[in-house]
Amino acid sequence: MTSTPTPDLESPLEQTRLAKPAVLGPQDFPKIVKKLTETEEQPLGERLLEAEAYLSNSLLDPSIPENHVAANQLQDWTIKAISSTDEFAIEAPYAAEAKPVISSDDVGRLCSMKATGLQLLSLLQNLQPTRPDNSAAFVACLASFTDLEDPWTNENAFVLAQSMLSSHLQRVKGNPNQFDDLITDLLLHHVKPLFIKSKSPVLTDQGRKAIAPLPGNALPSDFESGNKPWKFQSPHIITIFRWILCQLDSIMVEKHWPLVIPPLLTILDDVSTTLKIRGCRLLRILLKVVPASLLERSGLGEVFHDTLMPYLLYLPTLTPEEESIPLLNATYDTLLSLTLARQTTPDTNPLKVTKPLDAIFRYGILKGHAHAGEKVRIAELLIKKSTDLVNAMGIHSVKHLKDLLPIISATLTAPFATAYPPLLDASVQLLRAIIVNGWPRLAFHRAEVLEGLIICWCRIEEEDKPTTALLAVREHIEDVLRAVVQLLRGDDQIKRELQMLRDCDSRLERILKV
C-alpha cells in the first residue's frame, strides 16, 4: 500500500495554506497581485498556487476599492494564464521550428496548473461577480474545459468549470438580451478571428451556399500554419465553439447563422480525420435546433451532404482502420441526422427523404463492402449502419433487398463466421429490420433469408463449446426464424417447403414449427 507523502511544513507555500485566515490590509492584496502578475522569474504554476493559497486563507474585503480593482486584475491575469493551449496543438507541416514533444508528465503538470487556475477563479467569483465587460472572456475560459476528451482537461477542471458556468449563466440568462450579447461576443471576438483565414470557398459571407464557388485549390493549406491558428495554436477554440452550439435554440441559430456556419464547415473540411469526426459531432449538435426551412433556404443542407459523402470511402487500407471506424461511424450518423433534419413536415414527399438515403446506401454501404468487406470490424459497422438506413427508409428499403440480402447471406454462411460473433449478430439484427420494414417482399426473398439463418444456426449448434456471444446469436436467430414462419405460414407452397426442410434435418423441427 502506498504511503501518503508528508507535506513539507517548512515550505512557505505550505505555511500559507496552514495559516489561520488573516484579514489583509487595503494595501496588502494589491501588492500581492502586482507581485504575482508582473514577476516573470517565478514559474506560472507556482504563482497560481500562491494566489490560490492567499485567497483561501485570507478574509479579503472586496468592498474596498483597491481590493476590487486588484481582484479584477487577478482575474484577467488568471484567465489569460490558463486559456492558452498552444502546448497541446499539433505541429504544422514544414514548421520553421520543431515543436517540443510534450510528455505525459508535462501533460499532468499543465492540467494540474489549469485546475489550480480554475480554483482561483472560483475563489474570485465568490468574492465578487465577474464584471459585464469581462463576461465573454470569463465564459470562453471556462467553456474550454467542458470536454473531458481534451488533453488539457482533467475531471477536477471539468467539474469546476461546469459549476462556475452554471452559476454565471444563471445570472446572465435573467436578462435575455445580455445572454444573446454574450453569445454574439463569443462568436464574433473569440471564434471568428481564428477561422477568418480558413473560410470555406463554398460559402458566402452570409453563411449561404455560394452560386459560383472558388476552385478547390483555393482552400487554405496545412502547410501555411498561419491560416489555421484554431488548429496549430489554439485548439481549445473548438471546445468553446461546441459549448456555444449547445446553448443555441432555433431562434438564436438563425440570428447567428453567418457566424456559426463558416467555422463548422472549416472543421469538417480539414484533412485530419480527428477533426472531421469532431466536425460531425458539432454538426449533429447544430441539427438538433436548426429549422429545416433554414437548411433549405440557405442551401446548406446540400452543402453539408456533399461535404460528408466522400468520408464514406475513408476505408482501409488507404485509411488506417483505427481512424476509419470512428470516422465512418460519425459520418453515417451525421448524414442520417442531416437527412431527417431536412424533412420539413411529416407530409413531406417521402422521395425527398429516401433519395439522399439511397445515395448513402449505394455510395457508402455497397462500395464499402466491395472495398473493405474483408475487414470484419468494418463489415460489422457497415451492417449496423445498414440497419439504421433500413429503419429510416421504412417500406422504401425494399428496393435495396436485392443488394442487401446477398451480403447478409454470404456473411451468415461464411465457413469461419462463428469466429467473430458481433458480425453475425449485426447481420441477424439487419434481417430483423428488413422483415419489420419490408415484410410484403419477404415471400419473394424467402430462400436467401432462410438459407443464411438456418446455416448459421446449424453451425452454432455444431460448436463443441459455444461462447456466450454465440449462444446469444443463436437465440436471436431463433426469434427471427419464428417471425419469418409466422409471416409465411398462410401460403401452402411455403408450408410444403418448410416441411421439406424439417424432414431433411430433425433439429429444425423446433425453430421452423408452423
Side-chain angles (χ1 to χ4, degrees):
M1 186 173 184
T2 307
S3 59
T4 305
T6 304
D8 182 8
L9 298 180
E10 296 183 359
S11 166
L13 182 57
E14 193 63 35
Q15 290 177 2
T16 304
R17 286 185 177 278
L18 297 176
K20 293 182 179 180
V23 179
L24 297 176
Q27 303 301 319
D28 294 333
F29 184 59
K31 289 179 181 178
I32 293 170
V33 170
K34 183 177 181 180
K35 170 182 172 291
L36 293 174
T37 56
E38 295 181 1
T39 301
E40 295 295 337
E41 293 80 8
Q42 190 177 9
L44 179 61
E46 291 184 12
R47 285 184 279 163
L48 287 168
L49 274 171
E50 189 174 339
E52 189 260 335
Y54 273 123
L55 284 181
S56 298
N57 294 281
S58 303
L59 301 177
L60 186 66
D61 185 359
S63 63
I64 299 175
E66 292 84 352
N67 287 346
H68 177 77
V69 173
N72 287 336
Q73 182 183 354
L74 182 59
Q75 184 187 65
D76 294 344
W77 173 77
T78 305
I79 290 173
K80 184 178 179 181
I82 66 174
S83 292
S84 173
T85 53
D86 180 64
E87 302 93 340
F88 299 94
I90 62 175
E91 183 178 353
Y94 299 102
E97 295 181 3
K99 196 176 184 67
V101 177
I102 184 169
S103 66
S104 57
D105 291 339
D106 291 334
V107 171
R109 177 180 56 81
L110 289 168
C111 286
S112 178
M113 182 194 74
K114 291 178 183 296
T116 301
L118 288 172
Q119 182 63 45
L120 177 56
L121 287 178
S122 179
L123 292 171
L124 290 169
Q125 198 61 359
N126 292 334
L127 285 174
Q128 59 186 37
T130 301
R131 63 189 190 278
D133 66 304
N134 203 40
S135 180
F138 178 70
V139 169
C141 175
L142 299 181
S144 64
F145 295 95
T146 54
D147 190 345
L148 283 170
E149 292 186 8
D150 291 330
W152 57 84
T153 303
N154 57 25
E155 189 170 351
N156 187 27
F158 175 81
V159 172
L160 279 170
Q162 292 285 17
S163 175
M164 284 189 281
L165 277 172
S166 177
S167 59
H168 182 73
L169 291 181
Q170 192 172 4
R171 291 192 297 270
V172 172
K173 287 185 176 180
N175 183 344
N177 292 332
Q178 188 177 353
F179 179 66
D180 189 72
D181 290 343
L182 170 64
I183 297 298
T184 303
D185 196 351
L186 288 169
L187 287 169
L188 197 59
H189 299 114
H190 290 263
V191 177
K192 184 178 178 179
L194 296 180
F195 287 88
I196 194 70
K197 291 184 179 180
S198 54
K199 178 186 168 186
S200 174
V202 301
L203 289 178
T204 65
D205 292 337
Q206 291 74 36
R208 297 177 178 272
K209 180 182 178 181
I211 298 176
L214 294 171
N217 58 8
L219 285 168
S221 170
D222 269 3
F223 298 121
E224 301 173 17
S225 59
N227 288 334
K228 295 186 176 182
W230 57 271
K231 180 178 180 180
F232 298 118
Q233 284 100 43
S234 305
H236 65 282
I237 198 64
I238 299 179
T239 305
I240 297 174
F241 185 54
R242 172 183 172 273
W243 181 87
I244 294 171
L245 291 180
C246 292
Q247 310 307 311
L248 300 179
D249 56 26
S250 58
I251 298 175
M252 292 179 69
V253 75
E254 188 160 3
K255 177 179 179 181
H256 299 296
W257 191 252
L259 295 173
V260 167
I261 296 304
L264 178 55
L265 204 54
T266 298
I267 297 170
L268 276 172
D269 277 335
D270 195 79
V271 297
S272 166
T273 54
T274 301
L275 289 173
K276 291 182 189 295
I277 293 168
R278 296 195 73 174
C280 288
R281 293 172 181 169
L282 294 173
L283 179 53
R284 286 205 300 277
I285 294 173
L286 180 68
L287 291 174
K288 292 178 183 179
V289 295
V290 64
S293 58
L294 179 57
L295 282 174
E296 295 308 305
R297 290 199 318 268
S298 62
L300 265 294
E302 183 181 352
V303 169
F304 285 134
H305 180 86
D306 294 344
T307 300
L308 292 170
M309 285 297 287
Y311 303 165
L312 301 180
L313 295 183
Y314 276 57
L315 299 163
T317 54
L318 291 178
T319 304
E321 190 171 346
E322 293 73 20
E323 295 181 18
S324 176
I325 289 176
L327 178 59
L328 289 174
N329 191 53
T331 303
Y332 277 107
D333 290 346
T334 307
L335 278 169
L336 184 57
S337 299
L338 175 64
T339 302
L340 298 179
R342 295 174 69 184
Q343 183 178 358
T344 52
T345 65
D347 301 328
T348 301
N349 185 347
L351 292 178
K352 186 176 181 180
V353 180
T354 58
K355 186 176 178 180
L357 295 178
D358 291 338
I360 297 169
F361 178 80
R362 295 191 180 101
Y363 188 81
I365 301 296
L366 295 184
K367 286 191 176 182
H369 269 289
H371 289 288
E374 72 279 2
K375 303 282 186 180
V376 290
R377 293 171 62 202
I378 297 290
E380 178 193 0
L381 184 143
L382 294 175
I383 291 289
K384 287 182 176 179
K385 298 310 171 185
S386 299
T387 303
D388 295 338
L389 288 172
V390 167
N391 287 328
M393 294 167 71
I395 188 62
H396 298 280
S397 63
V398 295
K399 72 182 80 169
H400 300 298
L401 294 187
K402 65 182 186 300
D403 299 308
L404 267 181
L405 290 175
I407 293 174
I408 300 171
S409 181
T411 301
L412 293 174
T413 60
F416 302 103
T418 54
Y420 191 67
L423 178 57
L424 294 179
D425 195 51
S427 300
V428 174
Q429 298 305 325
L430 175 54
L431 270 180
R432 188 197 301 271
I434 288 173
I435 292 168
V436 170
N437 293 281
W439 60 267
R441 297 292 293 165
L442 179 60
F444 181 80
H445 295 285
R446 64 186 182 276
E448 282 182 301
V449 173
L450 291 171
E451 176 191 19
L453 291 172
I454 291 174
I455 292 178
C456 186
W457 184 86
C458 290
R459 287 209 170 118
I460 296 175
E461 283 286 299
E462 293 164 1
E463 289 281 327
D464 293 333
K465 294 181 180 179
T467 63
T468 304
L470 278 178
L471 293 176
V473 173
R474 184 183 67 180
E475 184 179 344
H476 294 158
I477 290 176
E478 291 172 358
D479 291 341
V480 174
L481 280 172
R482 279 191 284 269
V484 171
V485 170
Q486 289 299 315
L487 286 169
L488 299 179
R489 64 181 179 176
D491 190 304
D492 291 336
Q493 172 62 27
I494 296 176
K495 282 185 179 180
R496 289 192 291 271
E497 292 174 0
L498 294 175
Q499 184 59 49
M500 290 174 61
L501 290 171
R502 291 194 295 269
D503 293 341
C504 291
D505 191 334
S506 59
R507 294 177 298 177
L508 302 181
E509 285 284 350
R510 178 162 57 94
I511 59 175
L512 295 182
K513 186 176 181 180
V514 179

